[in-house]
Amino acid sequence: MSATGLDFERCYRAVATRDARFDGQFFTAVRTTGIYCRPSCPAITPKRTNVMFLPTAAAAQQCGFRACRRCLPDAAPGSPLWNTRADLAARAMRLIADGVVERGGVPALADSLGYSQRQLTRVLTSELGAGPLALARAHRAHTARLLIQTTQLSMSDIAFAAGFASIRQFNDTVREVFAVSPTRLREEVRRNGDAVPATNGTLTLRLPYREPLDKPWLEWFMSAHAAPGLELWEDGSYTRSVRTPHGHATVRMSVQPGHVRATLSLHDMRDLAPTVSRLRHLLDLDADPIGIDEALAAGLRGPLPSPGIRVPGCLDGPELLLRTMIGQQISVAAANTHTARLVAALGEPVPGSGTYLFPTPAAIAERGTEVLTGPVRRTAAIVGAARALASGDLVLHAGRTAADVRRDLLALDGVGPWTADYVTMRLLADPDILLHTDLVVRRGGNLLGLDLTDTARFTPWRSYLSMHLWKHALSNPAPAPDGAVRARKARTAL
């Protein structure tokens, strides 16, 4: 979907029917009011002659439109295009959402993607209607609004926490994007009684998603793989601490109707935007479940076992790889035990949270052989991978291509096709990876009478097919005890 390639009729139908499925996938700019909205905005549908459709909020702002304060278009679920597409624009958007421009500017973004700044700007402007600075500015405006409306921080603290270079730039941007001053934004929330009580450093957010969402699957996934000391699953909530660009954050999340409630305690408020981006990636909140389910149901030629299933992502690429390698060929419970032992020995305690940060690759490379138990070859492989990560020989971030990540992973000792595919799928939110060698996935395919050597009709949603097959097999355990044991001990070190 490019700035010039949006289908006007399709977009207008979505706006006329207020179809929330398209929120975040494009934005409606109304010439007569100078406002841009999400497709599901409850306002009166504008006339055809008065609207234009744009692929990003940054493009709308670039054209001089301000955000609707009724439907809050900047708070819509993110576009699923950044996951289904693997081109330069999509990979750049993932890194911009993670705050790369705020931390290192456009040069850092271009370097991470392997392109010149000029070429990157040209491609993003052509594809998304705005260059990298304008796209990052839109993210800063969204972060600023969240901090203004959900914390008691001073406006000067908010300005720098959101990534603005000056108070003046912060004030000018908020006025331009929302047509009111920062102080007025805060007053409106207080007057409407919508503010969530918060203290400095801690805030509670509603992370929206597109319905439907398979809540039992996400809750099982998070609870079954919670490693003691690192993660806690309690009363339907998932809690853990995670390393962030400027320190660390402790998060507590629970799935609610229409949104995920997330309470964040941040060591540095500058980490709000990247932390939220990573949480959305972890829970796959930007997926288009209706479109995915329709495609999979057509391929299965029947109803889906679990509508709205998600493909869990990750909070940190190196942690994902190392935990996956720890869990190879052992049960989920055993993998959690080994991970907990590693965290207790080499992790960093987070004051006041009762949890630890996952050990750095450098710590595991230095002392992993002292802590890790099991086959010597597996320990050597894990320490070798940690050494490659610590030295920079292996780089894992969401801006890389699937082909490059898979190639680099397969070059490591102890990493086979299953591990490479699994890590690539979760690291990049790649929607089209079928884990066809996984024993549980294969058993799920057999239960549904599906030939896993013939799955082209499910492209580009085979990662979601893998989750369906996984859940279906786990929900229908094999009758023979030995078969059940084999299924539980399959490669499910998720």
Side-chain angles (χ1 to χ4, degrees):
M1 184 181 295
S2 69
T4 58
L6 290 170
D7 185 320
F8 186 93
E9 289 301 323
R10 183 167 179 259
C11 291
Y12 194 80
R13 283 197 301 273
V15 171
T17 58
R18 297 182 175 84
D19 193 338
R21 170 183 165 183
F22 293 95
D23 286 355
Q25 298 196 42
F26 68 86
F27 296 87
T28 307
V30 185
R31 297 185 181 91
T32 51
T33 62
I35 292 174
Y36 73 92
C37 304
R38 61 170 79 189
S40 66
C41 183
I44 296 173
T45 303
K47 296 179 180 179
R48 290 172 176 268
T49 54
N50 294 336
V51 300
M52 59 186 296
F53 300 110
L54 298 163
T56 61
Q61 294 169 19
Q62 189 104 317
C63 292
F65 295 94
R66 64 176 177 84
C68 174
R69 299 210 304 279
R70 185 174 182 183
C71 70
L72 299 177
D74 61 311
S79 174
L81 290 175
W82 313 144
N83 293 342
T84 58
R85 286 168 46 169
D87 58 10
L88 175 60
R91 291 186 288 118
M93 284 298 290
R94 297 175 201 157
L95 294 183
I96 290 171
D98 195 54
V100 170
V101 174
E102 278 72 26
R103 296 192 294 274
V106 177
L109 177 65
D111 184 63
S112 297
L113 296 167
Y115 286 79
S116 69
Q117 295 181 54
R118 169 183 276 185
Q119 187 175 9
L120 175 63
T121 300
R122 179 182 60 79
V123 170
L124 293 183
T125 302
S126 172
E127 289 286 317
L128 307 178
L133 286 176
L135 291 163
R137 176 177 175 270
H139 279 280
R140 286 197 294 273
H142 174 49
T143 302
R145 185 180 62 78
L146 283 177
L147 292 172
I148 290 169
Q149 296 181 336
T150 61
T151 75
Q152 302 303 319
L153 288 172
S154 67
M155 293 303 173
S156 59
D157 287 340
I158 289 174
F160 293 111
F164 290 97
S166 67
I167 304 295
R168 180 176 180 177
Q169 185 187 69
F170 161 72
N171 286 327
D172 289 347
T173 298
V174 170
R175 286 193 178 96
E176 184 178 340
V177 173
F178 300 106
V180 292
S181 68
T183 302
R184 177 71 179 277
L185 269 182
R186 178 167 280 177
E187 290 173 350
E188 287 180 349
V189 173
R190 289 172 176 168
R191 187 167 57 250
N192 295 332
D194 295 331
V196 177
T199 58
N200 289 348
T202 300
L203 62 159
T204 299
L205 305 176
R206 294 161 60 98
L207 308 181
Y209 58 80
R210 297 178 181 86
E211 298 275 13
L213 180 141
D214 187 348
K215 179 180 177 180
W217 169 250
L218 273 183
E219 291 188 336
W220 174 83
F221 194 98
M222 307 305 289
S223 62
H225 304 95
L230 178 68
E231 302 152 303
L232 174 66
W233 178 264
E234 185 178 44
D235 299 329
S237 294
Y238 172 77
T239 303
R240 70 160 290 170
S241 293
V242 59
R243 191 171 283 102
T244 57
H246 299 98
H248 57 79
T250 299
V251 302
R252 180 179 176 86
M253 300 184 294
S254 62
V255 180
Q256 307 293 330
H259 70 277
V260 170
R261 182 182 176 88
T263 300
L264 285 65
S265 296
L266 299 164
H267 175 74
D268 191 316
M269 276 294 179
R270 289 177 295 175
D271 291 328
L272 172 61
T275 301
V276 169
S277 176
R278 294 172 189 185
L279 294 179
R280 296 192 66 83
H281 172 55
L282 174 66
L283 302 179
D284 195 16
L285 298 184
D286 294 325
D288 175 12
I290 295 177
I292 295 168
D293 289 352
E294 288 175 350
L296 293 181
L300 288 172
R301 301 180 180 88
L304 283 178
S306 303
I309 205 166
R310 296 302 205 266
V311 178
C314 70
L315 292 172
D316 180 76
E319 177 187 326
L320 171 64
L321 172 61
L322 296 170
R323 289 185 67 175
T324 302
M325 294 180 72
I326 289 171
Q328 288 181 130
Q329 302 295 342
I330 60 177
S331 69
V332 174
N336 291 339
T337 299
H338 284 281
T339 300
R341 186 183 300 122
L342 183 70
V343 168
L346 304 181
E348 302 170 37
V350 178
S353 71
T355 61
Y356 290 77
L357 296 173
F358 188 80
T360 64
I364 296 175
E366 181 182 356
R367 296 187 52 203
T369 54
E370 302 172 17
V371 180
L372 294 167
T373 59
V376 174
R377 186 174 178 181
R378 185 179 68 187
T379 297
I382 295 169
V383 172
R387 189 176 298 115
L389 289 164
S391 67
D393 292 338
L394 175 63
V395 177
L396 297 178
H397 62 63
R400 303 197 65 199
T401 67
D404 288 346
V405 170
R406 192 175 191 275
R407 178 202 63 216
D408 290 352
L409 291 175
L410 289 174
L412 296 172
D413 289 337
V415 173
W418 183 90
T419 299
D421 285 342
Y422 177 75
V423 171
T424 301
M425 177 183 72
R426 293 190 61 190
L427 174 69
L428 305 181
D430 191 310
D432 200 30
I433 293 178
L434 180 67
L435 300 176
H436 62 280
T437 62
D438 185 273
L439 296 180
V440 179
V441 170
R442 287 163 57 184
R443 183 170 172 272
N446 291 334
L447 289 172
L448 293 176
L450 186 63
D451 180 5
L452 297 189
T453 65
D454 180 24
T455 59
R457 65 185 182 278
F458 296 103
T459 297
W461 307 118
R462 286 180 288 189
S463 297
Y464 292 88
L465 177 63
S466 295
M467 298 300 103
H468 278 289
L469 299 180
W470 223 329
K471 181 180 180 181
H472 193 62
L474 294 172
S475 301
N476 296 275
D482 59 334
V485 170
R486 283 197 302 272
R488 285 196 301 272
K489 289 190 175 182
R491 296 185 199 181
T492 52
L494 309 183

